[in-house]
Amino acid sequence: MPVPWFLLSLALGRNPVVVSLERLVGPQDAARCSSGLSCHLWDGDVLCLPGNIVSTPGPVLVPRHLQTELVLRCHQETDCDLCVRVVVHLAVHEQWEEPGEEKQFKGAADLELEEPWNASLQAQVVLSFQAYPVARCVLLEVQVPAALVQPGQSVGSVVFDCFEAALGAEVRIWSYTQPRYQKELNLTQQLPDCRGLEVRDSIQSCWALPWLNVSTDGDNVHLVLAVSEEQHYGLLLYWNQVQGPPKPWWHKNLTGPQTITLNHTDLVPCLCIQVWPLTPDSVRTSICPFKEDPRAHRNLWRAARLRLLSLRTWRLDAPCSLSVEAVLCWQTPGGGPCQPLVPPLPQENVTVNVSIWEKLKLQECLWADSLGPLKDDMLLVDIRGPQDNRSLCALEPSGCTPLPSRVSTRAAHFGEQLIQDLQSGLCLQLWNGDLGALWACPMDKYIHKRWALVWLACLLVTAALILLLLCKKDRVKVAARGRAALLLYSADDVGFERLVGALASALSQLSLRVAVDLWSRRELSAQGPLAWFHAQRRQTLQEGGVVVLLFSPGAVALCREWLQGGAAAPGAHGPHDAFAASLSCVLPDFSQGRAPGSYVGACFDRLLHLDAVPDLFRTVPVFSLPSQLLDFLGALQGPSASHPGLLQEWAEQVSQALQPALDSCFQSLGAPELRRGMEPGAGTGLE
């Protein structure tokens, strides 16, 4: 049997209580005072003008505390409106003096103030009320007899009936005196809706409200709407946001009783449900029943995605708002956990509620798969202390090694050279903050082999040459020099660029010399995309290489635009978009029959179907990756293709490198639609 989690018709906020309200008859406002006080309510509303705070001429009457109570204002037995009763507690405020003011002389007036107050006090108390779209101010005159006047003591209260407000509205109330002797009191309150009040038979807007309860059954969550067969109503599932408007997830207009089924993996803390009758100006009822559900919090972290937009800019994508902490860390080329910088650089906060159920970490590496193969660089942490004191250390698996140092580590051995490189501007700055900076210094030139190792290497090379002479001639050519490959693509988005970077990095690990604009940003900026492509294409084809056209939806659109005679204007695409610039040379090669043997086409599984590639480009082999990686690698090798067993091994390596980037690119295309299991039907899902 399903276990009820939350019954909306019996809940008011966090207190499962149904409240019965007092009824007031008639539309007139009224005021009354506690015993001993006299009060009068001015006719009509007044202007809401608090004015500036002024000094008191003596003891004065001021508001001390605000209190509210919900009542019903009824015109008929079944025609009532929700109304807010306000209680203002009053006190006597003592005489106010300027700070530091000293009494040096006592005149007759001073002596008079020290005597007991023998006159009554009168005050004009203003109540200001705001509840969109209503704004009102009323004035209450209150008089306190002299016997009750004791400075600093409460004298009683005045009650105002009442301010009308809508169900579920947020109301704000201020109270102050005219003239104003202190900062005004204020109170903000969220009014309940039809769910938590015994008003369904009294307020007409609640008559047709759909009633809903939430229950769980194993891995499924059921939203049960108990209404009449003819009831028409709307249902909205949305993600509530701390900042900004809610994000709608699913909406549908329904009729009659329904059971909506959600899978537990769809639950997140900010998932809310809103129902309302399909009538003009109807009351909408909202509830967020999964705020404290541990499964919802686990799902939220699993759905969160961390993306680096630039060197010092990142973005956390999640269905709900989160409060997280982002820190810099480093990782050795061999993998392993990402270690915080020691000593640490300043931490940066990202405002996007830390989960108390599960502490998960999201990790993203700077420029992953975008700058080619990993380099053997040394990370240096430059810490700036007080009075311009600086300290330098090198990050190693054992910790941060101070430079210079006499310890037996790789960084300490090259400490003096690394310091000189840093001072000479040979290191790349990765981070710069108020307290320190992070540098990457190349180590290639310091890697020297001993003479014994050189001789051993010569012997190994000689042995390898003897073995290679026994192999086929075409394999000798491949081993001697890899074939050049120029990758061309359309920069549809950051995710697709990252996918291309992953493919280029994987191919460069094989016997291929890969050229791609991602690794030549400086040359692109200096030469321009068209000149850069001309130079790369001429060099690639002269060396017997191959030009690889990577088709995406954006690339196909550009090709069709050119084929239809509508070439894009210069600058219409990005400043580094070599694909758009290259079409003026690529298309003549295909139309004049020069492409076979020099060009290869490819697209990525799930991102573009092979049938979408224009017919003109199918005069050369076109492959879908990674499903046809084996044939693709064979086409890149050309006539000197390697042994099938080696090609199979390479295909597996490239597929493993591509899959994470391909999954990330596919997920970034848009928010996933609600699965079919959520369709509303005969109690099984959404329709």
Side-chain angles (χ1 to χ4, degrees):
M1 289 291 293
V3 180
W5 274 5
F6 197 89
L7 190 60
L8 299 188
S9 58
L10 299 178
L12 173 59
R14 296 184 177 179
N15 302 315
V17 177
V18 176
V19 181
S20 181
L21 302 182
E22 177 185 345
R23 291 170 174 260
L24 303 178
V25 179
Q28 296 82 13
D29 296 336
R32 63 181 187 275
C33 302
S34 58
S35 177
L37 277 64
S38 61
C39 56
H40 169 69
L41 173 65
W42 278 35
D43 294 335
D45 292 353
V46 298
L47 294 177
C48 303
L49 299 174
N52 297 323
I53 297 178
V54 299
S55 60
T56 61
V60 293
L61 203 59
V62 295
R64 179 62 57 87
H65 177 64
L66 284 178
Q67 187 177 350
T68 62
E69 179 183 351
L70 297 182
V71 296
L72 289 178
R73 171 170 282 173
C74 300
H75 310 283
Q76 296 180 2
E77 182 67 22
T78 59
D79 184 12
C80 302
D81 294 309
L82 191 63
C83 211
V84 181
R85 170 183 289 166
V86 183
V87 182
V88 185
H89 297 270
L90 303 171
V92 176
H93 184 64
E94 298 185 72
Q95 185 174 3
W96 177 84
E97 297 177 354
E98 290 287 346
E101 181 180 345
E102 297 181 358
K103 295 182 178 179
Q104 297 180 355
F105 303 97
K106 290 186 177 182
D110 298 321
L111 294 174
E112 183 179 350
L113 289 176
E114 293 179 351
E115 298 177 357
W117 190 260
N118 57 4
S120 63
L121 291 181
Q122 185 174 353
Q124 292 184 337
V125 180
V126 177
L127 286 177
S128 176
F129 177 86
Q130 289 187 5
Y132 182 82
V134 178
R136 294 186 59 194
C137 279
V138 297
L139 181 63
L140 304 169
E141 285 190 348
V142 185
Q143 187 170 1
V144 180
L148 297 180
V149 177
Q150 297 183 9
Q153 299 296 318
S154 176
V155 297
S157 60
V158 57
V159 180
F160 171 75
D161 285 329
C162 57
F163 294 114
E164 294 185 11
L167 289 161
E170 181 182 80
V171 301
R172 297 183 179 183
I173 303 171
W174 292 267
S175 179
Y176 51 89
T177 59
Q178 288 186 342
R180 187 160 64 97
Y181 302 115
Q182 63 180 17
K183 185 178 180 180
E184 64 267 21
L185 298 180
N186 66 84
L187 175 66
T188 300
Q189 183 177 3
Q190 184 71 42
L191 301 185
D193 51 28
C194 302
R195 297 169 295 153
L197 301 172
E198 200 175 75
V199 297
R200 191 170 186 182
D201 295 331
S202 302
I203 299 180
Q204 295 181 2
S205 60
C206 294
W207 292 358
L209 185 69
W211 297 95
L212 165 72
N213 68 66
V214 182
S215 63
T216 180
D217 181 14
D219 288 341
N220 294 326
V221 177
H222 302 294
L223 314 180
V224 182
L225 294 109
V227 299
S228 64
E229 294 289 344
E230 299 80 15
Q231 175 75 56
H232 302 285
Y233 57 94
L235 175 65
L236 172 67
L237 303 181
Y238 65 95
W239 293 319
N240 194 30
Q241 304 296 305
V242 174
Q243 297 179 347
K247 295 181 180 179
W249 185 32
W250 183 84
H251 164 258
K252 195 164 188 179
N253 294 333
L254 303 171
T255 301
Q258 298 283 344
T259 298
I260 310 301
T261 301
L262 305 177
N263 192 283
H264 72 93
T265 58
D266 299 319
L267 306 183
V268 290
C270 63
L271 180 60
C272 300
I273 307 161
Q274 188 178 86
V275 291
W276 67 95
L278 296 179
T279 56
D281 300 324
S282 60
V283 176
R284 295 196 175 204
T285 300
S286 299
I287 193 64
C288 304
F290 309 113
K291 290 181 179 179
E292 310 297 332
D293 190 333
R295 296 187 298 180
H297 283 265
R298 286 194 293 268
N299 293 337
L300 174 60
W301 279 104
R302 289 168 183 163
R305 294 291 180 269
L306 178 63
R307 293 192 297 150
L308 287 168
L309 304 180
S310 64
L311 186 58
R312 297 191 61 176
T313 307
W314 55 86
R315 176 178 176 178
L316 180 64
D317 295 321
C320 307
S321 298
L322 292 169
S323 291
V324 300
E325 189 177 71
V327 298
L328 282 176
C329 62
W330 71 284
Q331 189 176 39
T332 59
C338 195
Q339 306 176 37
L341 293 179
V342 181
L345 291 180
Q347 299 178 352
E348 301 288 342
N349 290 329
V350 183
T351 302
V352 258
N353 303 319
V354 172
S355 172
I356 63 175
W357 287 269
E358 191 170 0
K359 190 175 182 180
L360 301 178
K361 294 183 179 179
L362 302 176
Q363 178 180 319
E364 185 79 3
C365 292
L366 292 171
W367 302 319
D369 296 323
S370 297
L371 294 179
L374 293 175
K375 300 177 181 179
D376 188 14
D377 292 348
M378 182 69 68
L379 290 179
L380 303 185
V381 181
D382 184 9
I383 302 299
R384 305 185 185 101
Q387 299 179 352
D388 294 332
N389 292 331
R390 298 178 64 183
S391 61
L392 193 67
C393 67
L395 289 174
E396 296 185 287
S398 58
C400 203
T401 304
L403 297 182
S405 176
R406 295 183 178 180
V407 298
S408 300
T409 65
R410 181 168 178 250
H413 181 71
F414 298 105
E416 294 293 341
Q417 294 94 322
L418 290 172
I419 293 176
Q420 292 177 4
D421 288 347
L422 180 62
Q423 294 173 346
S424 303
L426 300 179
C427 300
L428 175 65
Q429 188 179 72
L430 301 179
W431 191 272
N432 187 23
D434 295 335
L435 301 181
L438 183 65
W439 303 83
C441 298
M443 295 290 292
D444 296 341
K445 60 183 178 180
Y446 300 122
I447 307 302
H448 300 290
K449 303 295 183 181
R450 296 181 181 272
W451 283 109
L453 294 178
V454 173
W455 284 108
L456 179 59
C458 292
L459 293 175
L460 291 175
V461 170
T462 303
L465 289 175
I466 295 174
L467 291 175
L468 289 174
L469 290 175
L470 301 176
C471 298
K472 295 181 179 180
K473 183 178 180 180
D474 56 349
R475 296 191 62 185
V476 175
K477 292 181 180 178
V478 174
R481 188 181 188 191
R483 194 183 188 193
L486 173 61
L487 304 187
L488 295 179
Y489 69 100
S490 174
D492 290 7
D493 52 41
V494 174
F496 190 76
E497 281 192 315
R498 186 169 297 177
L499 178 58
V500 173
L503 176 62
S505 297
L507 293 178
S508 67
Q509 303 296 325
L510 311 180
S511 59
L512 292 169
R513 292 178 291 111
V514 179
V516 64
D517 62 354
L518 277 174
W519 302 346
S520 306
R521 294 300 197 196
R522 183 175 299 175
E523 292 84 353
L524 272 174
S525 299
Q527 303 175 16
L530 187 58
W532 179 87
F533 166 73
H534 273 296
Q536 294 295 328
R537 170 181 169 274
R538 181 173 59 253
Q539 180 180 351
T540 300
L541 297 182
Q542 286 177 353
E543 296 176 356
V546 61
V547 179
V548 181
L549 302 179
L550 296 176
F551 289 98
S552 64
V556 171
L558 281 173
C559 292
R560 296 190 186 281
E561 186 178 344
W562 275 82
L563 292 173
Q564 294 172 3
H573 305 280
H576 307 305
D577 195 343
F579 187 89
S582 67
L583 287 178
S584 61
C585 300
V586 170
L587 289 177
D589 286 346
F590 279 84
S591 60
Q592 298 174 16
R594 299 193 300 265
S598 300
Y599 287 79
V600 170
C603 60
F604 294 99
D605 297 343
R606 299 186 293 171
L607 295 182
L608 186 73
H609 196 273
L610 285 175
D611 294 338
V613 177
D615 294 337
L616 178 64
F617 297 95
R618 296 189 192 177
T619 57
V620 301
V622 181
F623 306 96
S624 184
L625 307 182
S627 59
Q628 297 178 346
L629 258 175
L630 188 60
D631 296 334
F632 175 71
L633 295 178
L636 293 185
Q637 293 287 334
S640 59
S642 301
H643 190 273
L646 183 59
L647 282 179
Q648 181 65 39
E649 180 180 350
W650 288 353
E652 293 175 358
Q653 295 176 5
V654 176
S655 179
Q656 292 177 0
L658 278 181
Q659 202 59 51
L662 184 60
D663 293 340
S664 176
C665 184
F666 182 67
Q667 292 173 2
S668 67
L669 290 177
E673 295 184 356
L674 194 60
R675 58 177 48 80
R676 293 184 179 180
M678 292 179 55
E679 299 271 320
T684 60
L686 298 174
E687 293 182 347

